[in-house]
Amino acid sequence: MIHTELCDLLGIEYQVFQGGMAWIADGKLAAAVSNGGGLGVVAAGNAPADYVRQQIQITKSLTEKPFGVNIMLMSPFADEVAQVAAEERVAVVTTGAGNPSKYMQLWKDAGIKVIPVVASVAMAKLMTRLGASALIAEGGESGGHVGELTTMVLVPLVCDATTLPVLAAGGIADGRGFAAAMMLGACGVQMGTRFLSAEE
């Protein structure tokens, strides 16, 4: 596996994120991925803050490695979950389905690396200006709330629009997809269903 700046930024062995799959990416899955050398991510989805805190604490009990929380900004509980992430001082917050601008300073003040999911060059530029640590360029092949561009079109556009490390997401499930993402300028990938279907 190639070692990239993302590994150094987050203290992970492999530049592979596990995506935030609502009601699937729980504390046990996140811990397993982090223990395997990637970045496990607890999915907040539409869950209330108490559930998210519980899953964070489960993850902490199962791993000493860095892990993240994915916050779906369309959730009615987004404000409370954003606060929980800050209080629990998770290593990374990833976001989706909206603009996380109003929470960025809260998370940064808590020492959290903020890595928003972006589906456009405009959002990539805004998140770069607001001090994101990296970006996830997620194409329409991905599940959840995504934009209109495909992954292989979006990734090089975002890489050209920012100086931040970029992960590719959407439709990546094996080494070929990983290699393609790297050739397009990404320094890592985020995968969801691949982890759901992996017995390990």
Side-chain angles (χ1 to χ4, degrees):
M1 183 68 80
I2 302 165
H3 187 93
T4 68
E5 60 187 313
L6 199 64
C7 300
D8 296 327
L9 176 69
L10 303 177
I12 57 178
E13 187 176 356
Y14 306 117
Q15 59 273 39
V16 176
F17 283 22
Q18 163 247 310
M21 298 170 285
W23 305 112
I24 294 168
D26 60 8
K28 289 187 284 187
L29 179 59
V33 174
S34 288
N35 283 332
L39 186 82
V41 176
V42 171
N46 275 319
D50 288 347
Y51 171 85
V52 178
R53 190 186 300 275
Q54 177 189 45
Q55 296 306 314
I56 290 170
Q57 291 172 353
I58 288 170
T59 312
K60 287 180 177 179
S61 74
L62 296 172
T63 186
E64 295 181 358
K65 303 279 183 73
F67 69 92
V69 172
N70 174 262
I71 300 177
M72 206 253 311
L73 298 168
M74 290 172 59
S75 166
F77 304 107
D79 287 349
E80 295 94 329
V81 172
Q83 187 64 45
V84 164
E87 290 169 3
E88 293 288 339
R89 295 186 180 273
V90 297
V92 175
V93 164
T94 67
T95 63
N99 181 339
S101 296
K102 70 176 182 174
Y103 306 116
M104 295 282 282
Q105 199 58 50
L106 167 71
W107 294 327
K108 288 165 60 180
D109 288 347
I112 296 170
K113 302 281 195 301
V114 184
I115 305 180
V117 171
V118 299
S120 70
V121 167
M123 185 60 77
K125 289 180 176 179
L126 175 61
M127 293 298 102
T128 301
R129 288 197 303 273
L130 291 178
S133 296
L135 301 172
I136 301 169
E138 185 173 80
E141 297 91 331
S142 182
H145 306 274
V146 294
E148 298 176 359
L149 295 178
T150 66
T151 302
M152 296 300 158
V153 170
L154 179 65
V155 170
L157 292 175
V158 170
C159 289
D160 287 346
T162 185
T163 56
L164 298 176
V166 175
L167 293 98
I172 299 166
D174 58 17
R176 294 174 300 176
F178 180 93
M182 299 293 279
M183 290 301 295
L184 292 172
C187 65
V189 298
Q190 176 175 279
M191 299 185 290
T193 306
R194 174 72 267 175
F195 288 106
L196 175 61
S197 63
E199 290 184 12
E200 306 93 286

